[in-house]
Amino acid sequence: MVVGLYPGSKSWAKVEAAGLPPMTVADATRAADVIMLLTPDVGQGKLYREEIAPNLSGGKTLMFAHGFGIRFGQ
């Protein structure tokens, strides 16, 4: 399991303290087979377009905790 965070995130140290490897979202997307997007709806579209979509490849599973962005084309 890895955790994707934005550079400078206050959670970076918390993730390390929990024994998980923190990575940028782009690196986590490349490394993971299952990607779960758990960010607020407001920034999901931009995050997906810039960090996730370019790093997806065949065989990966992308899941969303909330469907607002998908439903409304964001």
Side-chain angles (χ1 to χ4, degrees):
M1 178 186 291
V2 299
V3 178
L5 299 167
Y6 61 88
S9 170
K10 294 177 184 177
S11 296
W12 200 278
K14 293 177 186 177
V15 170
E16 288 177 320
L20 298 170
M23 299 180 175
T24 66
V25 173
D27 288 342
T29 300
R30 284 189 291 274
D33 293 322
V34 177
I35 299 109
M36 182 69 185
L37 195 54
L38 301 171
T39 60
D41 292 324
V42 173
Q44 276 187 7
K46 183 176 191 255
L47 181 66
Y48 175 79
R49 287 186 300 278
E50 295 179 3
E51 302 291 329
I52 297 172
N55 296 296
L56 286 176
S57 57
K60 294 183 182 275
T61 300
L62 178 61
M63 300 183 296
F64 296 83
H66 190 271
F68 179 90
I70 295 168
R71 169 67 179 91
F72 294 100
Q74 298 183 6

CSV table of all heavy atoms in Angstrom, one decimal:
chain,number,residue,atom,x,y,z
A,1,MET,N,0.8,-1.2,0.0
A,1,MET,CA,0.0,0.0,0.0
A,1,MET,C,0.9,1.2,0.0
A,1,MET,O,1.9,1.3,0.7
A,1,MET,CB,-0.9,0.0,1.2
A,1,MET,CG,-1.8,1.3,1.3
A,1,MET,SD,-2.8,1.4,2.8
A,1,MET,CE,-3.9,0.1,2.6
A,2,VAL,N,0.5,2.2,-0.8
A,2,VAL,CA,1.2,3.5,-0.8
A,2,VAL,C,0.2,4.6,-0.7
A,2,VAL,O,-1.0,4.4,-0.9
A,2,VAL,CB,2.0,3.7,-2.1
A,2,VAL,CG1,3.1,2.7,-2.2
A,2,VAL,CG2,1.1,3.7,-3.3
A,3,VAL,N,0.6,5.8,-0.3
A,3,VAL,CA,-0.3,6.9,-0.1
A,3,VAL,C,0.2,8.0,-1.0
A,3,VAL,O,1.4,8.4,-0.9
A,3,VAL,CB,-0.4,7.4,1.3
A,3,VAL,CG1,-1.2,8.6,1.4
A,3,VAL,CG2,-0.9,6.3,2.2
A,4,GLY,N,-0.6,8.5,-1.9
A,4,GLY,CA,-0.2,9.6,-2.8
A,4,GLY,C,-0.7,10.9,-2.2
A,4,GLY,O,-1.8,11.1,-1.8
A,5,LEU,N,0.3,11.8,-2.1
A,5,LEU,CA,0.1,13.2,-1.5
A,5,LEU,C,0.7,14.2,-2.4
A,5,LEU,O,1.6,13.9,-3.2
A,5,LEU,CB,0.7,13.2,-0.1
A,5,LEU,CG,0.2,12.3,0.9
A,5,LEU,CD1,1.1,12.3,2.1
A,5,LEU,CD2,-1.2,12.6,1.3
A,6,TYR,N,0.2,15.5,-2.3
A,6,TYR,CA,0.9,16.5,-3.0
A,6,TYR,C,2.2,16.9,-2.2
A,6,TYR,O,2.3,16.8,-1.0
A,6,TYR,CB,-0.1,17.8,-3.1
A,6,TYR,CG,-0.5,18.4,-1.8
A,6,TYR,CD1,0.2,19.4,-1.2
A,6,TYR,CD2,-1.7,18.0,-1.2
A,6,TYR,CE1,-0.2,20.0,0.0
A,6,TYR,CE2,-2.1,18.6,0.0
A,6,TYR,CZ,-1.4,19.5,0.5
A,6,TYR,OH,-1.8,20.1,1.7
A,7,PRO,N,3.2,17.4,-3.0
A,7,PRO,CA,4.4,17.8,-2.3
A,7,PRO,C,4.2,18.9,-1.3
A,7,PRO,O,3.4,19.8,-1.5
A,7,PRO,CB,5.3,18.3,-3.5
A,7,PRO,CG,4.7,17.7,-4.7
A,7,PRO,CD,3.2,17.5,-4.4
A,8,GLY,N,4.8,18.7,-0.1
A,8,GLY,CA,4.6,19.7,1.0
A,8,GLY,C,3.4,19.4,1.8
A,8,GLY,O,3.1,20.2,2.8
A,9,SER,N,2.7,18.3,1.6
A,9,SER,CA,1.5,18.0,2.4
A,9,SER,C,1.9,17.8,3.9
A,9,SER,O,2.9,17.2,4.2
A,9,SER,CB,0.9,16.7,1.9
A,9,SER,OG,-0.1,16.2,2.8
A,10,LYS,N,1.0,18.3,4.8
A,10,LYS,CA,1.3,18.1,6.2
A,10,LYS,C,1.1,16.7,6.6
A,10,LYS,O,1.6,16.3,7.7
A,10,LYS,CB,0.3,19.0,7.0
A,10,LYS,CG,0.5,20.5,6.8
A,10,LYS,CD,-0.6,21.3,7.5
A,10,LYS,CE,-0.4,22.8,7.2
A,10,LYS,NZ,-1.5,23.6,7.9
A,11,SER,N,0.5,15.9,5.8
A,11,SER,CA,0.2,14.5,6.1
A,11,SER,C,1.4,13.6,5.8
A,11,SER,O,1.5,12.4,6.2
A,11,SER,CB,-1.0,14.0,5.4
A,11,SER,OG,-2.2,14.7,5.8
A,12,TRP,N,2.4,14.1,5.1
A,12,TRP,CA,3.6,13.3,4.6
A,12,TRP,C,4.2,12.6,5.8
A,12,TRP,O,4.4,11.4,5.8
A,12,TRP,CB,4.6,14.2,3.9
A,12,TRP,CG,5.5,13.4,3.0
A,12,TRP,CD1,6.6,12.8,3.4
A,12,TRP,CD2,5.4,13.2,1.6
A,12,TRP,NE1,7.2,12.2,2.3
A,12,TRP,CE2,6.5,12.4,1.2
A,12,TRP,CE3,4.5,13.6,0.7
A,12,TRP,CZ2,6.7,12.1,-0.1
A,12,TRP,CZ3,4.7,13.2,-0.7
A,12,TRP,CH2,5.8,12.5,-1.0
A,13,ALA,N,4.5,13.4,6.9
A,13,ALA,CA,5.2,12.8,8.1
A,13,ALA,C,4.2,11.8,8.8
A,13,ALA,O,4.7,10.8,9.3
A,13,ALA,CB,5.6,13.9,9.0
A,14,LYS,N,2.9,12.1,8.8
A,14,LYS,CA,2.0,11.2,9.4
A,14,LYS,C,2.0,9.8,8.7
A,14,LYS,O,1.9,8.8,9.3
A,14,LYS,CB,0.6,11.8,9.4
A,14,LYS,CG,0.4,13.0,10.3
A,14,LYS,CD,-1.0,13.6,10.2
A,14,LYS,CE,-1.1,14.9,10.9
A,14,LYS,NZ,-2.4,15.5,10.8
A,15,VAL,N,2.0,9.9,7.4
A,15,VAL,CA,2.0,8.6,6.6
A,15,VAL,C,3.3,7.8,6.9
A,15,VAL,O,3.2,6.6,7.1
A,15,VAL,CB,1.8,9.0,5.1
A,15,VAL,CG1,2.1,7.7,4.2
A,15,VAL,CG2,0.5,9.5,4.8
A,16,GLU,N,4.4,8.5,6.9
A,16,GLU,CA,5.7,7.9,7.2
A,16,GLU,C,5.6,7.3,8.6
A,16,GLU,O,6.1,6.1,8.8
A,16,GLU,CB,6.8,8.8,7.1
A,16,GLU,CG,7.2,9.2,5.7
A,16,GLU,CD,8.3,10.2,5.6
A,16,GLU,OE1,8.3,11.2,6.4
A,16,GLU,OE2,9.1,10.1,4.7
A,17,ALA,N,5.1,8.0,9.6
A,17,ALA,CA,5.0,7.5,11.0
A,17,ALA,C,4.1,6.3,11.1
A,17,ALA,O,4.3,5.4,12.0
A,17,ALA,CB,4.5,8.6,11.9
A,18,ALA,N,3.2,6.2,10.2
A,18,ALA,CA,2.3,5.0,10.2
A,18,ALA,C,2.9,3.8,9.5
A,18,ALA,O,2.3,2.7,9.4
A,18,ALA,CB,1.0,5.4,9.5
A,19,GLY,N,4.1,4.0,8.9
A,19,GLY,CA,4.9,2.9,8.3
A,19,GLY,C,4.5,2.7,6.8
A,19,GLY,O,4.8,1.7,6.3
A,20,LEU,N,3.9,3.7,6.2
A,20,LEU,CA,3.5,3.6,4.8
A,20,LEU,C,4.4,4.5,4.0
A,20,LEU,O,4.8,5.5,4.5
A,20,LEU,CB,2.0,4.0,4.6
A,20,LEU,CG,1.0,3.1,5.3
A,20,LEU,CD1,-0.4,3.8,5.3
A,20,LEU,CD2,1.0,1.7,4.7
A,21,PRO,N,4.7,4.1,2.8
A,21,PRO,CA,5.5,5.0,1.9
A,21,PRO,C,4.7,6.1,1.2
A,21,PRO,O,3.8,5.8,0.4
A,21,PRO,CB,6.1,4.0,0.9
A,21,PRO,CG,5.1,2.9,0.8
A,21,PRO,CD,4.4,2.8,2.1
A,22,PRO,N,4.9,7.3,1.6
A,22,PRO,CA,4.2,8.4,0.9
A,22,PRO,C,4.9,8.7,-0.5
A,22,PRO,O,6.1,8.5,-0.6
A,22,PRO,CB,4.4,9.6,1.8
A,22,PRO,CG,5.7,9.3,2.6
A,22,PRO,CD,5.8,7.8,2.7
A,23,MET,N,4.1,9.0,-1.5
A,23,MET,CA,4.6,9.3,-2.8
A,23,MET,C,3.8,10.5,-3.3
A,23,MET,O,2.7,10.8,-2.9
A,23,MET,CB,4.4,8.1,-3.7
A,23,MET,CG,5.2,6.9,-3.4
A,23,MET,SD,4.8,5.6,-4.6
A,23,MET,CE,5.8,4.3,-4.1
A,24,THR,N,4.3,11.1,-4.4
A,24,THR,CA,3.4,12.0,-5.1
A,24,THR,C,2.3,11.2,-5.7
A,24,THR,O,2.4,10.0,-5.9
A,24,THR,CB,4.2,12.8,-6.2
A,24,THR,OG1,4.6,11.8,-7.2
A,24,THR,CG2,5.4,13.5,-5.7
A,25,VAL,N,1.2,11.9,-6.1
A,25,VAL,CA,0.1,11.3,-6.7
A,25,VAL,C,0.5,10.6,-8.0
A,25,VAL,O,0.1,9.4,-8.3
A,25,VAL,CB,-1.1,12.2,-6.9
A,25,VAL,CG1,-2.2,11.6,-7.7
A,25,VAL,CG2,-1.6,12.8,-5.5
A,26,ALA,N,1.3,11.2,-8.8
A,26,ALA,CA,1.7,10.7,-10.1
A,26,ALA,C,2.5,9.4,-9.8
A,26,ALA,O,2.3,8.4,-10.5
A,26,ALA,CB,2.6,11.7,-10.8
A,27,ASP,N,3.5,9.4,-8.9
A,27,ASP,CA,4.3,8.2,-8.6
A,27,ASP,C,3.4,7.1,-8.0
A,27,ASP,O,3.6,5.9,-8.3
A,27,ASP,CB,5.4,8.5,-7.6
A,27,ASP,CG,6.5,9.4,-8.2
A,27,ASP,OD1,6.6,9.4,-9.5
A,27,ASP,OD2,7.3,10.0,-7.5
A,28,ALA,N,2.5,7.4,-7.1
A,28,ALA,CA,1.6,6.4,-6.5
A,28,ALA,C,0.7,5.8,-7.6
A,28,ALA,O,0.4,4.6,-7.6
A,28,ALA,CB,0.7,7.1,-5.4
A,29,THR,N,0.2,6.6,-8.6
A,29,THR,CA,-0.6,6.1,-9.6
A,29,THR,C,0.2,5.1,-10.5
A,29,THR,O,-0.3,4.0,-10.8
A,29,THR,CB,-1.1,7.2,-10.5
A,29,THR,OG1,-1.9,8.1,-9.7
A,29,THR,CG2,-2.0,6.7,-11.7
A,30,ARG,N,1.4,5.4,-10.8
A,30,ARG,CA,2.3,4.5,-11.5
A,30,ARG,C,2.6,3.2,-10.8
A,30,ARG,O,2.6,2.1,-11.3
A,30,ARG,CB,3.6,5.2,-11.9
A,30,ARG,CG,3.5,6.1,-13.1
A,30,ARG,CD,4.9,6.6,-13.6
A,30,ARG,NE,5.6,7.5,-12.6
A,30,ARG,CZ,5.4,8.8,-12.5
A,30,ARG,NH1,4.5,9.4,-13.3
A,30,ARG,NH2,6.1,9.5,-11.6
A,31,ALA,N,2.7,3.3,-9.4
A,31,ALA,CA,3.1,2.2,-8.6
A,31,ALA,C,1.9,1.2,-8.3
A,31,ALA,O,2.1,0.0,-8.1
A,31,ALA,CB,3.8,2.6,-7.3
A,32,ALA,N,0.7,1.8,-8.2
A,32,ALA,CA,-0.4,1.0,-7.7
A,32,ALA,C,-1.2,0.3,-8.8
A,32,ALA,O,-1.2,0.7,-9.9
A,32,ALA,CB,-1.3,1.9,-6.9
A,33,ASP,N,-1.8,-0.8,-8.4
A,33,ASP,CA,-2.7,-1.5,-9.3
A,33,ASP,C,-4.1,-1.1,-9.1
A,33,ASP,O,-5.0,-1.1,-10.0
A,33,ASP,CB,-2.6,-3.0,-9.1
A,33,ASP,CG,-1.3,-3.6,-9.5
A,33,ASP,OD1,-0.7,-3.2,-10.5
A,33,ASP,OD2,-0.8,-4.5,-8.8
A,34,VAL,N,-4.4,-0.7,-7.8
A,34,VAL,CA,-5.7,-0.1,-7.5
A,34,VAL,C,-5.5,1.3,-6.9
A,34,VAL,O,-4.7,1.5,-6.0
A,34,VAL,CB,-6.4,-1.0,-6.4
A,34,VAL,CG1,-7.7,-0.4,-6.0
A,34,VAL,CG2,-6.6,-2.4,-6.9
A,35,ILE,N,-6.2,2.2,-7.5
A,35,ILE,CA,-6.1,3.6,-7.1
A,35,ILE,C,-7.5,4.1,-6.6
A,35,ILE,O,-8.5,3.9,-7.3
A,35,ILE,CB,-5.7,4.5,-8.3
A,35,ILE,CG1,-4.3,4.1,-8.8
A,35,ILE,CG2,-5.7,6.0,-7.9
A,35,ILE,CD1,-4.4,3.4,-10.2
A,36,MET,N,-7.5,4.6,-5.4
A,36,MET,CA,-8.7,5.1,-4.7
A,36,MET,C,-8.6,6.5,-4.5
A,36,MET,O,-7.7,7.0,-3.8
A,36,MET,CB,-8.9,4.3,-3.4
A,36,MET,CG,-10.2,4.7,-2.7
A,36,MET,SD,-11.6,4.1,-3.6
A,36,MET,CE,-12.9,4.8,-2.7
A,37,LEU,N,-9.4,7.3,-5.2
A,37,LEU,CA,-9.4,8.8,-5.1
A,37,LEU,C,-10.2,9.2,-3.9
A,37,LEU,O,-11.4,9.1,-3.9
A,37,LEU,CB,-9.9,9.4,-6.4
A,37,LEU,CG,-9.6,10.8,-6.6
A,37,LEU,CD1,-8.1,11.1,-6.5
A,37,LEU,CD2,-10.0,11.3,-8.0
A,38,LEU,N,-9.6,9.8,-2.9
A,38,LEU,CA,-10.2,10.2,-1.6
A,38,LEU,C,-10.0,11.7,-1.4
A,38,LEU,O,-9.8,12.1,-0.2
A,38,LEU,CB,-9.7,9.4,-0.5
A,38,LEU,CG,-9.8,7.9,-0.6
A,38,LEU,CD1,-9.0,7.2,0.5
A,38,LEU,CD2,-11.3,7.5,-0.5
A,39,THR,N,-10.1,12.5,-2.4
A,39,THR,CA,-9.9,13.9,-2.3
A,39,THR,C,-11.2,14.7,-2.4
A,39,THR,O,-12.2,14.1,-2.9
A,39,THR,CB,-8.9,14.5,-3.4
A,39,THR,OG1,-9.5,14.2,-4.6
A,39,THR,CG2,-7.6,13.8,-3.3
A,40,PRO,N,-11.3,15.9,-1.9
A,40,PRO,CA,-12.5,16.7,-2.0
A,40,PRO,C,-12.9,16.9,-3.5
A,40,PRO,O,-12.0,16.9,-4.4
A,40,PRO,CB,-12.2,18.0,-1.4
A,40,PRO,CG,-11.0,17.7,-0.5
A,40,PRO,CD,-10.3,16.6,-1.1
A,41,ASP,N,-14.2,16.9,-3.8
A,41,ASP,CA,-14.7,17.0,-5.2
A,41,ASP,C,-14.1,18.2,-5.9
A,41,ASP,O,-13.9,18.2,-7.1
A,41,ASP,CB,-16.2,17.1,-5.1
A,41,ASP,CG,-16.9,15.9,-4.7
A,41,ASP,OD1,-16.4,14.8,-5.0
A,41,ASP,OD2,-17.9,16.0,-4.0
A,42,VAL,N,-13.9,19.3,-5.2
A,42,VAL,CA,-13.5,20.6,-5.8
A,42,VAL,C,-12.2,20.4,-6.6
A,42,VAL,O,-12.1,21.0,-7.7
A,42,VAL,CB,-13.3,21.7,-4.7
A,42,VAL,CG1,-12.7,22.9,-5.3
A,42,VAL,CG2,-14.6,22.0,-4.0
A,43,GLY,N,-11.3,19.7,-6.2
A,43,GLY,CA,-10.0,19.6,-6.9
A,43,GLY,C,-9.8,18.3,-7.7
A,43,GLY,O,-8.8,18.1,-8.3
A,44,GLN,N,-10.8,17.4,-7.7
A,44,GLN,CA,-10.6,16.1,-8.3
A,44,GLN,C,-10.4,16.1,-9.8
A,44,GLN,O,-9.5,15.4,-10.3
A,44,GLN,CB,-11.8,15.2,-8.0
A,44,GLN,CG,-11.8,14.5,-6.7
A,44,GLN,CD,-12.9,13.5,-6.5
A,44,GLN,OE1,-13.7,13.2,-7.4
A,44,GLN,NE2,-13.0,13.0,-5.3
A,45,GLY,N,-11.1,16.9,-10.5
A,45,GLY,CA,-10.9,17.0,-11.9
A,45,GLY,C,-9.5,17.4,-12.3
A,45,GLY,O,-8.9,16.7,-13.2
A,46,LYS,N,-9.0,18.4,-11.7
A,46,LYS,CA,-7.6,18.9,-12.0
A,46,LYS,C,-6.6,17.8,-11.6
A,46,LYS,O,-5.7,17.5,-12.4
A,46,LYS,CB,-7.3,20.2,-11.3
A,46,LYS,CG,-6.0,20.8,-11.6
A,46,LYS,CD,-5.8,22.1,-10.9
A,46,LYS,CE,-4.6,22.8,-11.4
A,46,LYS,NZ,-3.5,22.8,-10.5
A,47,LEU,N,-6.8,17.2,-10.5
A,47,LEU,CA,-5.9,16.2,-10.0
A,47,LEU,C,-5.9,15.0,-11.0
A,47,LEU,O,-4.8,14.5,-11.3
A,47,LEU,CB,-6.3,15.7,-8.6
A,47,LEU,CG,-5.4,14.7,-8.0
A,47,LEU,CD1,-4.0,15.2,-7.7
A,47,LEU,CD2,-6.0,14.2,-6.7
A,48,TYR,N,-7.1,14.6,-11.4
A,48,TYR,CA,-7.2,13.5,-12.3
A,48,TYR,C,-6.5,13.8,-13.6
A,48,TYR,O,-5.7,13.0,-14.1
A,48,TYR,CB,-8.6,13.1,-12.6
A,48,TYR,CG,-8.8,12.0,-13.6
A,48,TYR,CD1,-8.5,10.7,-13.3
A,48,TYR,CD2,-9.1,12.4,-14.9
A,48,TYR,CE1,-8.6,9.7,-14.3
A,48,TYR,CE2,-9.1,11.4,-15.9
A,48,TYR,CZ,-8.9,10.1,-15.6
A,48,TYR,OH,-8.9,9.1,-16.5
A,49,ARG,N,-6.8,15.0,-14.2
A,49,ARG,CA,-6.2,15.3,-15.5
A,49,ARG,C,-4.7,15.5,-15.5
A,49,ARG,O,-4.0,15.0,-16.4
A,49,ARG,CB,-6.8,16.6,-16.0
A,49,ARG,CG,-8.3,16.5,-16.5
A,49,ARG,CD,-8.8,17.8,-17.1
A,49,ARG,NE,-8.8,18.9,-16.2
A,49,ARG,CZ,-9.7,19.2,-15.3
A,49,ARG,NH1,-10.8,18.4,-15.2
A,49,ARG,NH2,-9.6,20.3,-14.6
A,50,GLU,N,-4.2,16.0,-14.4
A,50,GLU,CA,-2.7,16.4,-14.4
A,50,GLU,C,-1.9,15.3,-13.8
A,50,GLU,O,-0.7,15.1,-14.2
A,50,GLU,CB,-2.5,17.7,-13.6
A,50,GLU,CG,-3.1,18.8,-14.3
A,50,GLU,CD,-3.0,20.2,-13.5
A,50,GLU,OE1,-2.3,20.1,-12.4
A,50,GLU,OE2,-3.5,21.2,-14.0
A,51,GLU,N,-2.4,14.5,-12.8
A,51,GLU,CA,-1.5,13.6,-12.0
A,51,GLU,C,-1.9,12.1,-12.2
A,51,GLU,O,-1.0,11.3,-12.2
A,51,GLU,CB,-1.5,13.9,-10.5
A,51,GLU,CG,-1.1,15.3,-10.2
A,51,GLU,CD,0.4,15.6,-10.4
A,51,GLU,OE1,1.2,14.6,-10.3
A,51,GLU,OE2,0.7,16.7,-10.8
A,52,ILE,N,-3.2,11.9,-12.4
A,52,ILE,CA,-3.6,10.5,-12.5
A,52,ILE,C,-3.7,10.0,-13.9
A,52,ILE,O,-3.0,9.0,-14.3
A,52,ILE,CB,-4.9,10.3,-11.8
A,52,ILE,CG1,-4.7,10.6,-10.3
A,52,ILE,CG2,-5.5,8.9,-11.9
A,52,ILE,CD1,-6.0,10.6,-9.4
A,53,ALA,N,-4.5,10.6,-14.8
A,53,ALA,CA,-4.7,10.1,-16.1
A,53,ALA,C,-3.4,9.9,-16.9
A,53,ALA,O,-3.3,8.8,-17.6
A,53,ALA,CB,-5.6,11.1,-16.9
A,54,PRO,N,-2.4,10.8,-16.9
A,54,PRO,CA,-1.2,10.5,-17.6
A,54,PRO,C,-0.4,9.3,-17.1
A,54,PRO,O,0.5,8.8,-17.8
A,54,PRO,CB,-0.4,11.8,-17.5
A,54,PRO,CG,-1.3,12.8,-17.0
A,54,PRO,CD,-2.4,12.1,-16.2
A,55,ASN,N,-0.7,8.8,-15.9
A,55,ASN,CA,0.0,7.7,-15.3
A,55,ASN,C,-0.7,6.4,-15.2
A,55,ASN,O,-0.2,5.5,-14.6
A,55,ASN,CB,0.6,8.2,-14.0
A,55,ASN,CG,1.5,9.3,-14.1
A,55,ASN,OD1,2.6,9.2,-14.7
A,55,ASN,ND2,1.1,10.5,-13.7
A,56,LEU,N,-1.9,6.4,-15.7
A,56,LEU,CA,-2.7,5.2,-15.8
A,56,LEU,C,-2.2,4.3,-16.9
A,56,LEU,O,-1.8,4.7,-17.9
A,56,LEU,CB,-4.2,5.5,-16.0
A,56,LEU,CG,-5.0,6.1,-14.8
A,56,LEU,CD1,-6.4,6.4,-15.2
A,56,LEU,CD2,-5.0,5.1,-13.6
A,57,SER,N,-2.3,3.0,-16.6
A,57,SER,CA,-2.0,2.0,-17.7
A,57,SER,C,-2.9,0.8,-17.6
A,57,SER,O,-3.7,0.7,-16.6
A,57,SER,CB,-0.5,1.6,-17.5
A,57,SER,OG,-0.3,1.0,-16.3
A,58,GLY,N,-2.9,0.0,-18.6
A,58,GLY,CA,-3.8,-1.1,-18.6
A,58,GLY,C,-3.7,-2.0,-17.4
A,58,GLY,O,-2.7,-2.2,-16.8
A,59,GLY,N,-4.9,-2.5,-17.0
A,59,GLY,CA,-4.9,-3.4,-15.8
A,59,GLY,C,-5.1,-2.8,-14.5
A,59,GLY,O,-5.2,-3.4,-13.5
A,60,LYS,N,-5.1,-1.4,-14.4
A,60,LYS,CA,-5.3,-0.7,-13.2
A,60,LYS,C,-6.7,-0.5,-12.9
A,60,LYS,O,-7.5,-0.4,-13.9
A,60,LYS,CB,-4.5,0.6,-13.2
A,60,LYS,CG,-3.0,0.5,-13.2
A,60,LYS,CD,-2.3,1.8,-13.2
A,60,LYS,CE,-0.8,1.6,-13.3
A,60,LYS,NZ,-0.2,1.3,-12.0
A,61,THR,N,-7.1,-0.4,-11.7
A,61,THR,CA,-8.5,-0.1,-11.3
A,61,THR,C,-8.5,1.3,-10.6
A,61,THR,O,-7.7,1.5,-9.7
A,61,THR,CB,-9.0,-1.2,-10.3
A,61,THR,OG1,-9.0,-2.4,-10.9
A,61,THR,CG2,-10.4,-0.9,-9.9
A,62,LEU,N,-9.4,2.1,-11.1
A,62,LEU,CA,-9.6,3.5,-10.5
A,62,LEU,C,-10.9,3.6,-9.9
A,62,LEU,O,-12.0,3.3,-10.5
A,62,LEU,CB,-9.4,4.5,-11.6
A,62,LEU,CG,-9.6,6.0,-11.2
A,62,LEU,CD1,-8.6,6.4,-10.2
A,62,LEU,CD2,-9.6,6.9,-12.4
A,63,MET,N,-10.9,3.9,-8.6
A,63,MET,CA,-12.2,4.0,-7.8
A,63,MET,C,-12.3,5.4,-7.2
A,63,MET,O,-11.3,6.1,-6.9
A,63,MET,CB,-12.2,3.0,-6.7
A,63,MET,CG,-12.1,1.6,-7.2
A,63,MET,SD,-12.2,0.3,-5.9
A,63,MET,CE,-10.8,0.7,-4.9
A,64,PHE,N,-13.5,5.9,-7.0
A,64,PHE,CA,-13.8,7.2,-6.4
A,64,PHE,C,-14.7,7.0,-5.2
A,64,PHE,O,-15.6,6.2,-5.2
A,64,PHE,CB,-14.6,8.1,-7.4
A,64,PHE,CG,-13.7,8.4,-8.6
A,64,PHE,CD1,-13.7,7.5,-9.7
A,64,PHE,CD2,-13.0,9.6,-8.7
A,64,PHE,CE1,-12.9,7.8,-10.8
A,64,PHE,CE2,-12.3,9.9,-9.8
A,64,PHE,CZ,-12.2,9.0,-10.9
A,65,ALA,N,-14.4,7.7,-4.1
A,65,ALA,CA,-15.2,7.6,-2.9
A,65,ALA,C,-16.5,8.3,-3.1
A,65,ALA,O,-17.5,8.1,-2.4
A,65,ALA,CB,-14.4,8.3,-1.7
A,66,HIS,N,-16.6,9.2,-4.0
A,66,HIS,CA,-17.8,10.0,-4.3
A,66,HIS,C,-17.9,10.2,-5.8
A,66,HIS,O,-16.9,10.4,-6.5
A,66,HIS,CB,-17.7,11.3,-3.5
A,66,HIS,CG,-19.0,12.1,-3.5
A,66,HIS,ND1,-19.4,13.0,-4.5
A,66,HIS,CD2,-20.1,12.1,-2.7
A,66,HIS,CE1,-20.6,13.5,-4.2
A,66,HIS,NE2,-21.0,12.9,-3.1
A,67,GLY,N,-19.1,10.2,-6.3
A,67,GLY,CA,-19.3,10.3,-7.8
A,67,GLY,C,-19.7,11.6,-8.3
A,67,GLY,O,-20.0,11.7,-9.5
A,68,PHE,N,-19.7,12.7,-7.5
A,68,PHE,CA,-20.1,14.0,-8.0
A,68,PHE,C,-19.3,14.4,-9.2
A,68,PHE,O,-19.9,14.8,-10.2
A,68,PHE,CB,-19.9,15.0,-6.8
A,68,PHE,CG,-20.2,16.4,-7.2
A,68,PHE,CD1,-21.5,16.9,-7.1
A,68,PHE,CD2,-19.3,17.3,-7.8
A,68,PHE,CE1,-21.9,18.2,-7.4
A,68,PHE,CE2,-19.7,18.6,-8.2
A,68,PHE,CZ,-20.9,19.0,-8.0
A,69,GLY,N,-18.0,14.3,-9.2
A,69,GLY,CA,-17.1,14.8,-10.3
A,69,GLY,C,-17.4,14.0,-11.6
A,69,GLY,O,-17.4,14.6,-12.6
A,70,ILE,N,-17.7,12.7,-11.4
A,70,ILE,CA,-17.9,11.9,-12.6
A,70,ILE,C,-19.3,12.2,-13.1
A,70,ILE,O,-19.5,12.5,-14.3
A,70,ILE,CB,-17.8,10.4,-12.3
A,70,ILE,CG1,-16.4,10.1,-11.9
A,70,ILE,CG2,-18.3,9.6,-13.4
A,70,ILE,CD1,-16.2,8.8,-11.3
A,71,ARG,N,-20.3,12.3,-12.2
A,71,ARG,CA,-21.7,12.6,-12.6
A,71,ARG,C,-21.8,13.9,-13.4
A,71,ARG,O,-22.6,14.0,-14.3
A,71,ARG,CB,-22.6,12.5,-11.4
A,71,ARG,CG,-24.0,13.0,-11.6
A,71,ARG,CD,-24.8,12.1,-12.5
A,71,ARG,NE,-26.1,12.5,-12.7
A,71,ARG,CZ,-26.5,13.4,-13.7
A,71,ARG,NH1,-25.7,13.8,-14.6
A,71,ARG,NH2,-27.8,13.7,-13.8
A,72,PHE,N,-21.1,14.9,-12.9
A,72,PHE,CA,-21.2,16.2,-13.5
A,72,PHE,C,-20.1,16.6,-14.4
A,72,PHE,O,-19.8,17.7,-14.7
A,72,PHE,CB,-21.4,17.2,-12.4
A,72,PHE,CG,-22.7,17.1,-11.6
A,72,PHE,CD1,-22.8,16.4,-10.4
A,72,PHE,CD2,-23.9,17.5,-12.2
A,72,PHE,CE1,-24.0,16.2,-9.8
A,72,PHE,CE2,-25.1,17.3,-11.6
A,72,PHE,CZ,-25.1,16.7,-10.4
A,73,GLY,N,-19.4,15.6,-14.9
A,73,GLY,CA,-18.4,15.8,-15.9
A,73,GLY,C,-17.2,16.6,-15.5
A,73,GLY,O,-16.6,17.3,-16.4
A,74,GLN,N,-16.8,16.5,-14.3
A,74,GLN,CA,-15.7,17.3,-13.8
A,74,GLN,C,-14.4,16.5,-13.8
A,74,GLN,O,-13.3,16.9,-13.6
A,74,GLN,CB,-15.9,17.9,-12.5
A,74,GLN,CG,-17.1,18.9,-12.5
A,74,GLN,CD,-17.3,19.6,-11.2
A,74,GLN,OE1,-16.6,19.4,-10.2
A,74,GLN,NE2,-18.4,20.3,-11.1
